Amino acid sequence: MAERGELLDVLVGGGGYVGLSLGVALKQADPGMKVAVVDMRPRAALENDPRASAVAAAASRMLARLGVWDEIAPEAQPMTEMIVTDSRLRDAVRPVFLTFDGEVEPGEAFAHMVPNGRMVAALADRAVELGVELIAPDTVQGFSSGASDVEIRLGSGDIRRARLLVAADGVRSKLRELAGIGTVRWDYDQSGIVTTVRHERPHNGRAEEHFLPSGPFAILPLKGNRSSLVWSEKRLEAERLVKGDAFTFELELERRFGHHLGKIELDGPRHAFPLGLTLARGFVKPRLALAGDAAHGIHPIAGQGLNLGFKDVAALAEVLVEARRLGEDIGALDVLERYERWRRFDTFQMGVVTDVLNRLFSNDMDVVRAVRDVGLGFVDRLPSLKRFFIRQAAGLEGTVPRLLVGDPI
C-alpha cells in the first residue's frame, strides 16, 4: 500500500466499475505499479446498487481476464435473443420488425445482464487481493500538475502524489471541470426510468426494445422471472410517474410492457435520471486522463454506456502498461494522447449513432415511422448485416484492445 507522501503511479478518482476495473487491470498486468482508487461512497453503498447493466461479450471477456467473471457469472443472465418493435401505445398489436440471435460465437451470448452491485463487489474484492489501495469514503478536492507528478488534495485533508490522475467520476465529473475541459452537450428533455419487475412467465433470455413515441422502452432479462426496465419518457411525465403512487405507475407500466409474460409487479425501487448527450472536448491533459462517463455520457438506447467505459479501461490500461515497459513517463501528454486517439473517434461515433437513433425513433410522424420501419425490415432480411450489428453491439468490431478479446496486456 502507498503511504502518505509516497509517489503513486496512478490515482483514480471514482470507484465504480470503471475506476475499479482500471485499478485491477493495471495492477494485474504490472504488479509493481502503485495504484489507488478514491470514491466518495463507502464500499457498502457501491455494492448495494439495485440496478443492472448490459455487459457486452467483449466486456465479459475482459472481466474474465481480470479474474472476476467467475464471481459474477452465477448472477448474470445471458441474452439469447433480441427483438425490436415500433408502435404506438394505442396499437392493439406490436409488429416485430427486427430479430437478433443472441450468440457472437457458439455458446457465447452477445451480452449478459449483470447486477451492478455484484459486479462492483467482485471488482473491489479483486482490487484488494491485488494490492490496489481503496480510499473510501473520500473525495478529490483539487489537484495541481507539475513537470513530473500531480499533487492531489483529498477531502479528508490528505495530500497524495501520482504520476497520473484518472477522472472516472461520472458524467458530471468534478475533476473534468477542475481541469478546465469543456463539453459538448445536448439535452433530450427526456428522463430514463429504471426499475425491476417480476412476471409470471419466463423470458427465456429474450431482450425487447419497443420504440414508442415518447422514446425507447427496453425489457432486459434478469435471473429468474424478472426483468430490468429502461423506460424513456418526457421529463415532466417521468417525474410524475416516479413520484406518483405505485398503482398509477403499474397501470402505465402495464400499457407499455404488455401481457406476453403474464401478470407483472414491481420488484424494486423506481428511479428517473435525465437523458442527454455529453462529450468531453478532450480526453487528456498533462498528468490527467478522463475515462467512462467523465469522458462521454450517451443515451441508453443502444445499451452501450457501460461498455464504452470498459473500452476506455482496456485501451488506457494497455497504453499505460506498454509505456511503462518502454521506460516512458505514463503521465506525459504524448503517452496519454495515444489513448485519446484510440478512444475519441469511437466515442464520438457512438454518441452520434445514439443521438440519431433517439431522434429518429422518438418521433411519431407517419412518414418517419414508415421510413424507419422499412429500414428495420430491410436489416432483418440481411443475415450478414445482422451479424455485423451483433458483433458491433458485442464490442468486437474495429481495433479492439487486448483485454476485450480476452488476451493479457
Side-chain angles (χ1 to χ4, degrees):
M1 297 292 183
E3 298 176 359
R4 180 187 174 109
E6 183 181 0
L7 180 64
L8 294 163
D9 290 296
V10 179
L11 185 140
V12 184
Y17 62 86
V18 169
L20 289 170
S21 59
L22 179 60
V24 170
L26 292 172
K27 196 70 175 173
Q28 179 173 277
D30 187 343
M33 289 188 81
K34 297 182 178 66
V35 181
V37 177
V38 178
D39 196 88
M40 65 185 296
R41 298 158 292 183
R43 182 173 166 183
L46 288 168
E47 296 176 6
N48 288 332
D49 187 341
R51 298 170 299 172
S53 298
V55 175
S60 61
R61 291 180 185 185
M62 183 180 87
L63 292 171
R65 172 54 60 181
L66 297 182
V68 298
W69 186 248
D70 285 347
E71 298 298 316
I72 296 169
E75 296 182 40
Q77 170 63 51
M79 293 188 191
T80 59
E81 181 188 12
M82 183 171 183
I83 66 166
V84 178
T85 75
D86 185 10
S87 63
R88 297 181 174 95
L89 278 178
R90 64 177 180 270
D91 292 347
V93 177
R94 286 184 181 168
V96 175
F97 288 96
L98 186 57
T99 61
F100 290 107
D101 291 331
E103 291 187 337
V104 287
E105 301 289 347
E108 182 181 17
F110 82 93
H112 289 77
M113 285 301 295
V114 174
N116 288 5
R118 178 64 261 165
M119 179 164 54
V120 170
L123 285 166
D125 288 344
R126 181 65 172 150
V128 170
E129 179 186 341
L130 291 171
V132 176
E133 182 182 5
L134 301 185
I135 306 170
D138 211 337
T139 56
V140 176
Q141 290 294 310
F143 61 91
S144 54
S145 299
S148 60
D149 61 33
V150 54
E151 184 177 276
I152 301 155
R153 300 180 296 283
L154 301 184
S156 61
D158 201 1
I159 303 293
R160 308 304 294 262
R161 293 184 307 122
R163 300 188 191 280
L164 174 66
L165 172 63
V166 176
D169 55 340
V171 71
R172 296 182 182 84
S173 172
K174 179 181 179 180
L175 298 181
R176 183 186 65 217
E177 181 181 347
L178 289 172
I181 298 176
T183 60
V184 175
R185 190 171 196 283
W186 285 272
D187 190 302
Y188 295 131
D189 191 32
Q190 289 176 315
S191 289
I193 301 172
V194 178
T195 192
T196 302
V197 297
R198 186 174 296 278
H199 35 78
E200 281 185 299
R201 302 184 190 120
H203 47 57
N204 296 318
R206 186 174 77 174
E208 304 177 22
E209 185 87 83
H210 299 294
F211 289 118
L212 301 171
S214 61
F217 181 89
I219 303 173
L220 305 167
L222 299 173
K223 283 289 186 181
N225 285 8
R226 298 166 59 246
S227 292
S228 175
L229 304 184
V230 183
W231 169 4
S232 298
E233 271 292 343
K234 291 294 184 183
R235 189 158 298 160
L236 290 177
E237 179 67 3
E239 290 176 6
R240 181 187 73 82
L241 287 167
V242 169
K243 293 177 181 177
D245 63 273
F247 178 73
T248 301
F249 183 85
E250 288 184 0
L251 282 178
E252 292 293 334
L253 173 60
E254 191 175 80
R255 291 179 68 202
R256 292 155 178 81
F257 194 101
H259 302 280
H260 59 295
L261 294 180
K263 183 181 177 182
I264 60 170
E265 58 183 11
L266 287 176
D267 193 45
R270 36 187 164 137
H271 302 285
F273 58 94
L275 298 179
L277 173 66
T278 302
L279 298 174
R281 292 185 179 273
F283 283 15
V284 301
K285 279 196 165 184
R287 308 280 157 208
L288 176 78
L290 308 183
D293 287 350
H296 42 73
I298 67 172
H299 197 284
I301 191 169
Q304 290 298 306
L306 174 143
N307 297 292
L308 282 180
F310 277 139
K311 284 184 178 180
D312 293 346
V313 168
L316 182 56
E318 191 167 322
V319 166
L320 297 181
V321 169
E322 289 189 342
R324 223 172 101 91
R325 288 170 181 166
L326 294 171
E328 296 177 298
D329 180 353
I330 63 171
L333 188 58
D334 61 332
V335 170
L336 298 177
E337 283 175 338
R338 298 172 202 164
Y339 160 67
E340 183 177 59
R341 286 193 296 271
W342 197 347
R343 293 297 306 132
R344 197 173 181 193
F345 177 74
D346 178 53
T347 296
F348 175 78
Q349 184 181 48
M350 184 57 69
V352 169
V353 167
T354 56
D355 181 72
V356 170
L357 286 174
N358 183 55
R359 294 176 191 275
L360 178 64
F361 284 96
S362 300
N363 188 313
D364 201 31
M365 293 177 61
D366 289 337
V367 173
V368 176
R369 287 173 59 87
V371 170
R372 71 194 184 208
D373 292 347
V374 168
L376 290 173
F378 178 74
V379 172
D380 199 47
R381 293 180 180 86
L382 293 175
S384 59
L385 190 55
K386 288 209 291 186
R387 281 195 296 272
F388 169 79
F389 283 134
I390 280 288
R391 289 189 63 81
Q392 191 77 28
L396 298 171
E397 286 295 317
T399 306
V400 181
R402 293 174 198 162
L403 285 174
L404 293 179
V405 294
D407 293 337
I409 298 174

